[in-house]
Amino acid sequence: MNIDFPFRFDNRGHSAETGDDDHVRDMIEQLLFTNPGERVNRPDFGTGLLQLVFAPNSQELAAALQFTLQAALQRWLGDVIDVGALAVSSEDATLRVDLGYTVRASGDTRSDSFTRSLP
């Protein structure tokens, strides 16, 4: 059983479930947009990506962010996915991560975009 993210109840009053492909996408989204220290039992889980939205854009920041995300995806989801392409862009208060990956269990290649807008 894969619990859907964000957590909600379905029309039967049970925890909403999701399929395997959507569950993998949900896990990636949780990793990308969780700041280290937010999870009590895993204080080093997350990427700190949202903290860098207002940092000045530069080639150095983009390279550091690319390296950080690649390492976090490998560490926390390396047994679930193989990362292919990874691109991060920030425009005003909107952060966008484009990720190409292969799901190890099924061999399916997927490409997803993850965005967050900050208030």
Side-chain angles (χ1 to χ4, degrees):
M1 176 176 122
N2 298 322
I3 296 176
D4 198 13
F5 172 80
F7 182 80
R8 63 183 176 78
F9 295 104
D10 62 15
N11 56 2
R12 300 173 300 159
H14 298 117
S15 299
E17 297 179 17
T18 188
D20 291 337
D21 286 341
D22 192 43
H23 182 65
V24 171
R25 187 187 191 290
D26 291 346
M27 288 191 301
I28 295 169
E29 186 174 2
Q30 289 176 47
L31 175 63
L32 292 177
F33 298 115
T34 298
N35 288 318
E38 281 186 40
R39 293 205 173 171
V40 176
N41 292 329
R42 289 190 175 169
D44 52 342
F45 179 85
T47 61
L49 186 63
L50 292 178
Q51 297 170 350
L52 299 175
V53 170
F54 297 111
N57 271 339
S58 68
Q59 294 291 347
E60 293 80 14
L61 179 65
L65 193 52
Q66 179 105 8
F67 178 76
T68 301
L69 293 181
Q70 184 81 27
L73 287 165
Q74 180 62 38
R75 177 178 181 195
W76 295 105
L77 298 176
D79 58 334
V80 178
I81 64 171
D82 286 319
V83 176
L86 176 64
V88 180
S89 60
S90 176
E91 186 174 316
D92 296 327
T94 301
L95 184 66
R96 178 183 173 108
V97 177
D98 295 310
L99 177 65
Y101 59 95
T102 303
V103 179
R104 288 183 181 235
S106 65
D108 293 339
T109 301
R110 302 201 51 198
S111 180
D112 286 320
S113 295
F114 305 89
T115 59
R116 280 289 190 275
S117 294
L118 297 179

